[in-house]
Amino acid sequence: MGSDCPCWGWRFNCHPTDCDMTSLNHDDRSTIAPARSLLGALRRRIRQYVWLEGLAAALALLGVAFWATLAADWFFEPSPPVRAIILVALAATLVYVLFRMIGRRAFVPITDVNAATVLERRFPRLNDALLTAVELGGRSMENELSAQMLSRTCREASERVGEVELRKVFNPRPLWLHCGAASLLTISVAMFALMFTGAFGIWANRVLALSGELWPRYCKIIVDGFSDDGVRKVARGSDVEITAKADTEMPRVPEKVEIRYRTEGGGRGRATMNRRGASLGDHYREFSHTFRGVLSDIELDVVGGDDRVGGLRIQAVDSPTISRMTLDCEPPPYIRREQPPLEVTGVMQIPMGSRVTVRAKEANKELVRVQIDELVAERAAKSEILEADRLDADRRGFSHAVERLDESATLLFTLTDADGITGRDPVRLVLVAAADQPPQTAVQLDGIGTAITPQARIPVVGRIADDYGLGRIWFEYVIDDREPDDDRTIADPPDAPAAYNLDGAALEVRSLELKPGQKLVVSVRASDLCDLGKGPNIAASERWLLEIVAPDQLRVMLEARELVLRQRFERTLQEATETRDLLARLAFESDGSAPPAAAPAGSEPGDAPDNVDATDTPERRAALRTLRVQSALGNCRKNAQEVLGVAEAFDDIRKQLVNNRIDTEELKQRLQGGISLPLHRVAGEMFPELEQRIEALLADLEKPRGPELRNRAQRQADDILLEMRKVLDQMLELESFNEAVELLRNIVEMQKELKEETQRRHKEKIRDLLKE
């Protein structure tokens, strides 16, 4: 790029052919030199900022990774495969950070327009002069006035860029944070490497080289009472004491020993063992811990100092428990149905206000005593003890009643068996008081758009359901900004059905005495029979905002929609014609429709043609036939759906005419008998028949019946096109009819305006006469 280019410095990576030398003179080019330098400096600073921030973030990540891997390896000593996975994860994270912080930003081209936009936003005093000069600097001006204005803009931009301070464009806080974090972490790692060279070397060997070297041990722990395979069996529910001994002849003796355990249910915990003092000639120091009431197996590790004894297991057996419970529920009176017994499978949801009888069955051992604690909102509500005489006859079950479940409760059953073993953790049963939910509404308008006439009726269709029975169903409407009105009842069924269909329900708008221009918001509401708390629950459908318009205005809107549908139908008709043409172009050798290879001029009969296309093989022609039939099949299915959509749209137009009471018998007959019903027959009968014929043709395409099946499909396609053209004629006729009606409306409107103008002038003349 030469120095004569007037947009040098204004356009990033421009080409000399992009520039118009007549747009700026030599003086103008010299005036924009400061701006050109400023934009270049901004680009350099942006990239410097991105590189510094990205490298600092990467360096900080490496520092965090060092301390994290050092801590994890020191405390847990993972195996080499685990360390390899961690190393790969860290490398992937580093690559991601570099890509996100540098790769994705540093190499993005920054055009002069981008840079000028940044400066214009940050420094409003530039008043768009810089951006205008950047965007128009390389364009040819149509006249001398435009060139002079551009020249003046360039001079203004050059004068104002001198006041720009690039440092104010950037937010230094993120950069300082990243650099500060990187510096602190780098210094901390360097100081660790200098002060603890041996530990740093072990970390490097284990984490980076994945060696099997272990961290040095300074303590030794021995745990008694376990078999060679690390298992110790205890009575379920009994206390278990674990004893650990620390060797005092080792370099270090731990001041505390910790026991870490995992229960069979997945619970985890840790506890510090109690120190007993010295024994065995002061050669060991003993520590102990007691597990109270062990109900399930416990896996544990004993950790003291830097030594660990792992893989130990306490196996608990024969603790009393209940394997099966059922609930007998009596729902509140407004729920008019019986509830069968429920098997307890976890947290149980029960209708609020029910009476619940808990029946515990099939205990694993004979029981002699059961303590039942009822907790409500984590507070003890009441407690009950069942002795042997109140248990079932076989002493393997019992019953307990909750008179009224008004809020969620937790029942704790503490079992004592015939061996005198009491379960430490009680059997827990959570009863959730499920509040009655509002009815479910699936309601929509039927044959009503967003605009209606003042004499319209608003029909709705759909279904409303409730778990325990419906009460009242009604319309709620709001006119403009008035208060909602809900006095239009749809149904008030006495038998409280679980579901109600809204077929035939409609809101009569005529009685509301609305005027064009007003707004009407309508929704359907339903209530259930709940008599608890605040009373029945109420649900509402979608709120429909309807605009009140004059009948003529609604007719115009519907006519415009008919025009759009007609254009859409014409496109579908064109696609159906192309489908028929695909079938017509199918050529078969068996019926002579495939063109033979041409013989050269002057050849004798029986001579082989020497100009036959080598690619025109029977296999290629068969593949081409298959492709055309498959395309025809796809078009057939697509066109059927499009025709059905047009038919349903015309059904909706007819319904809107009827519901808004602006219909005529002739118009309804044209829409339904001439358009909608024929289209439904085409989409529902004729297209499926064509699809079946094309599928049969595709299945037997290379068999002798191929030409016959093609002809059958082609005849069906012709019948469809004939029927669709008839419908199109009806649409055009309807459009002409609508145009005539519109013309008549215009004449009436013009007469009305002429009458008003005549009356106005007559009044003016009378007024002038009175003044004289």
Side-chain angles (χ1 to χ4, degrees):
M1 179 165 32
S3 60
D4 294 334
C5 177
C7 62
W8 195 94
W10 290 95
R11 182 178 299 170
F12 188 70
N13 291 334
C14 70
H15 192 272
T17 59
D18 296 335
C19 304
D20 186 358
M21 294 297 295
T22 62
S23 61
L24 295 173
N25 55 37
H26 182 271
D27 294 337
D28 294 334
R29 291 196 298 270
S30 62
T31 58
I32 64 175
R36 181 177 60 204
S37 176
L38 179 67
L39 294 178
L42 177 61
R43 278 193 293 268
R44 289 191 299 272
R45 289 200 179 187
I46 290 175
R47 290 192 169 88
Q48 291 172 1
Y49 185 99
V50 170
W51 276 97
L52 285 176
E53 185 181 19
L55 293 176
L59 196 59
L61 173 64
L62 292 176
V64 172
F66 168 79
W67 290 111
T69 54
L70 178 64
D73 195 53
W74 171 267
F75 287 106
F76 304 107
E77 291 189 341
S79 61
V82 175
R83 282 177 269 153
I85 294 174
I86 295 174
L87 200 60
V88 171
L90 291 175
T93 305
L94 179 62
V95 172
Y96 172 78
V97 169
L98 290 174
F99 170 77
R100 181 178 178 85
M101 302 295 292
I102 297 178
R104 197 177 64 171
R105 301 188 298 171
F107 302 102
V108 176
I110 304 175
T111 65
D112 284 343
V113 173
N114 300 143
T117 302
V118 172
L119 293 177
E120 290 284 357
R121 291 177 180 175
R122 184 62 184 87
F123 302 101
R125 61 178 176 272
L126 292 177
N127 198 23
D128 291 336
L130 180 61
L131 184 59
T132 302
V134 169
E135 290 184 333
L136 301 180
R139 297 184 184 179
S140 174
M141 297 294 104
E142 296 180 355
N143 51 59
E144 182 63 25
L145 178 60
S146 299
Q148 292 177 0
M149 293 175 64
L150 175 61
S151 177
R152 178 180 178 182
T153 302
C154 293
R155 288 194 299 273
E156 291 179 357
S158 298
E159 292 172 359
R160 295 172 181 174
V161 296
E163 303 173 1
V164 172
E165 299 182 32
L166 290 182
R167 62 181 181 82
K168 294 185 178 180
V169 176
F170 300 92
N171 180 12
R173 181 178 178 83
L175 181 61
W176 285 115
L177 289 177
H178 285 91
C179 291
S183 300
L184 291 176
L185 289 169
T186 302
I187 293 173
S188 66
V189 173
M191 292 181 63
F192 178 86
L194 292 175
M195 297 175 62
F196 305 99
T197 306
F200 186 84
I202 296 176
W203 170 84
N205 290 334
R206 288 181 55 81
V207 176
L208 302 181
L210 302 178
S211 69
E213 180 182 0
L214 297 176
W215 291 94
R217 295 290 191 273
Y218 299 97
C219 301
K220 182 178 180 180
I221 300 296
I222 300 174
V223 181
D224 294 330
F226 288 82
S227 62
D228 294 338
D229 56 358
V231 176
R232 179 177 178 181
K233 293 183 179 181
V234 299
R236 195 180 305 273
S238 62
D239 296 341
V240 181
E241 184 181 44
I242 306 298
T243 302
K245 297 183 294 184
D247 192 345
T248 58
E249 294 183 350
M250 294 294 292
R252 294 180 185 174
V253 179
E255 292 297 327
K256 68 175 183 177
V257 176
E258 189 177 63
I259 187 167
R260 303 173 183 176
Y261 58 90
R262 299 167 295 281
T263 63
E264 193 174 44
R268 293 176 176 269
R270 62 176 62 193
T272 302
M273 304 183 73
N274 298 321
R275 179 178 173 179
R276 286 185 175 179
S279 63
L280 302 179
D282 295 336
H283 184 58
Y284 292 100
R285 180 178 296 171
E286 292 187 354
F287 299 84
S288 67
H289 176 76
T290 301
F291 287 98
R292 305 291 181 181
V294 176
L295 297 176
S296 60
D297 292 359
I298 299 177
E299 296 180 356
L300 56 92
D301 298 331
V302 178
V303 180
D306 59 359
D307 196 14
R308 173 194 296 261
V309 178
L312 304 179
R313 181 182 182 86
I314 299 174
Q315 185 177 359
V317 295
D318 297 329
S319 180
T321 187
I322 297 294
S323 59
R324 180 169 175 259
M325 284 187 185
T326 60
L327 303 179
D328 293 339
C329 300
E330 297 179 17
Y334 79 89
I335 299 179
R336 304 174 185 179
R337 69 182 184 187
E338 295 183 357
Q339 177 69 50
L342 301 175
E343 290 285 341
V344 176
T345 57
V347 177
M348 302 299 295
Q349 294 197 8
I350 308 298
M352 185 178 292
S354 300
R355 183 181 187 276
V356 183
T357 301
V358 182
R359 302 190 184 278
K361 304 177 180 179
E362 300 181 8
N364 63 335
K365 300 173 65 176
E366 289 188 4
L367 304 176
V368 297
R369 186 174 181 270
V370 178
Q371 179 177 337
I372 305 173
D373 297 312
E374 183 175 337
L375 305 181
V376 177
E378 302 300 329
R379 302 188 308 272
K382 64 179 181 178
S383 180
E384 182 181 5
I385 296 178
L386 303 180
E387 300 293 346
D389 57 345
R390 297 180 60 187
L391 303 178
D392 294 348
D394 59 358
R395 294 191 179 183
R396 291 181 178 266
F398 57 90
S399 300
H400 174 72
V402 178
E403 294 300 329
R404 183 183 172 96
L405 188 67
D406 290 327
E407 54 183 325
S408 300
T410 301
L411 301 181
L412 304 178
F413 303 97
T414 303
L415 309 177
T416 303
D417 61 19
D419 297 328
I421 298 177
T422 300
R424 175 70 176 182
D425 295 328
V427 178
R428 179 183 295 264
L429 173 61
V430 179
L431 301 179
V432 176
D436 193 359
Q437 298 299 315
Q440 300 294 318
T441 60
V443 183
Q444 61 183 4
L445 297 177
D446 183 28
I448 285 292
T450 58
I452 61 174
T453 62
Q455 66 270 17
R457 63 188 297 270
I458 304 176
V460 294
V461 295
R463 187 172 184 269
I464 300 178
D466 187 76
D467 293 337
Y468 306 126
L470 292 168
R472 178 172 172 251
I473 304 173
W474 68 96
F475 281 110
E476 181 181 88
Y477 60 90
V478 180
I479 301 174
D480 293 334
D481 296 329
R482 305 176 189 173
E483 291 296 324
D485 198 335
D486 59 356
D487 62 349
R488 303 303 173 97
T489 299
I490 298 176
D492 195 358
D495 54 347
Y500 186 87
N501 293 320
L502 292 176
D503 297 336
L507 174 64
E508 291 293 341
V509 180
R510 178 181 298 171
S511 61
L512 303 180
E513 299 180 354
L514 300 178
K515 303 296 182 183
Q518 289 186 296
K519 304 291 185 180
L520 178 65
V521 179
V522 181
S523 64
V524 176
R525 291 181 169 257
S527 63
D528 58 17
L529 301 174
C530 179
D531 56 4
L532 304 176
K534 298 180 179 180
N537 299 297
I538 298 177
S541 69
E542 177 186 357
R543 291 165 58 89
W544 301 291
L545 175 61
L546 306 176
E547 181 180 2
I548 310 302
V549 298
D552 290 343
Q553 184 179 354
L554 182 59
R555 289 192 186 96
V556 172
M557 296 169 64
L558 295 178
E559 289 167 5
R561 185 181 177 191
E562 292 173 9
L563 178 60
V564 173
L565 290 174
R566 193 257 299 169
Q567 295 173 349
R568 173 182 167 188
F569 183 73
E570 287 177 343
R571 292 193 297 270
T572 305
L573 178 59
Q574 178 62 32
E575 294 177 358
T577 304
E578 294 174 358
T579 302
R580 190 264 179 200
D581 294 340
L582 282 175
L583 296 174
R585 289 200 300 269
L586 286 178
F588 294 89
E589 289 81 355
S590 59
D591 64 345
S593 57
S603 61
E604 296 296 331
D607 291 345
D610 57 359
N611 60 344
V612 176
D613 187 358
T615 62
D616 188 16
T617 62
E619 293 78 8
R620 183 177 181 275
R621 291 193 292 272
L624 182 60
R625 284 193 292 270
T626 302
L627 180 61
R628 287 176 176 173
V629 174
Q630 291 175 345
S631 299
L633 182 60
N635 291 344
C636 172
R637 293 168 177 168
K638 175 174 175 288
N639 294 337
Q641 295 298 322
E642 293 175 347
V643 171
L644 181 60
V646 173
E648 292 175 348
F650 273 98
D651 282 337
D652 184 69
I653 292 176
R654 181 184 59 82
K655 290 180 180 179
Q656 289 198 46
L657 292 172
V658 173
N659 292 329
N660 286 279
R661 294 188 171 96
I662 57 174
D663 60 304
T664 62
E665 288 299 327
E666 180 182 2
L667 186 56
K668 287 193 297 183
Q669 180 59 31
R670 286 175 181 271
L671 289 173
Q672 186 173 18
I675 298 177
S676 176
L677 290 180
L679 288 183
H680 276 293
R681 189 172 70 85
V682 170
E685 299 177 9
M686 301 183 73
F687 267 114
E689 177 63 25
L690 176 60
E691 182 179 348
Q692 292 179 3
R693 295 186 181 186
I694 295 177
E695 289 176 347
L697 172 61
L698 184 61
D700 298 339
L701 187 60
E702 301 305 323
K703 296 182 180 180
R705 295 181 63 242
E708 177 187 353
L709 295 175
R710 175 203 59 191
N711 296 335
R712 290 182 68 248
Q714 186 175 342
R715 287 194 297 271
Q716 182 67 14
D718 290 336
D719 294 342
I720 291 176
L721 291 176
L722 179 61
E723 191 68 22
M724 292 178 69
R725 290 192 179 100
K726 291 180 180 179
V727 174
L728 181 60
D729 292 339
Q730 290 290 330
M731 292 182 182
L732 294 174
E733 183 179 348
L734 178 63
E735 186 176 338
S736 300
F737 175 78
N738 291 335
E739 290 175 355
V741 173
E742 179 64 21
L743 179 60
L744 182 59
R745 284 200 295 265
N746 292 336
I747 293 174
V748 173
E749 186 66 24
M750 290 174 60
Q751 290 179 345
K752 182 179 179 181
E753 293 177 356
L754 181 60
K755 181 180 179 180
E756 292 176 353
E757 181 65 19
T758 301
Q759 292 177 350
R760 185 182 63 80
R761 292 188 179 184
H762 182 67
K763 291 180 181 179
E764 289 179 355
K765 288 182 178 180
I766 293 176
R767 190 182 301 110
D768 294 339
L769 290 175
L770 293 175
K771 289 181 179 180
E772 292 177 359

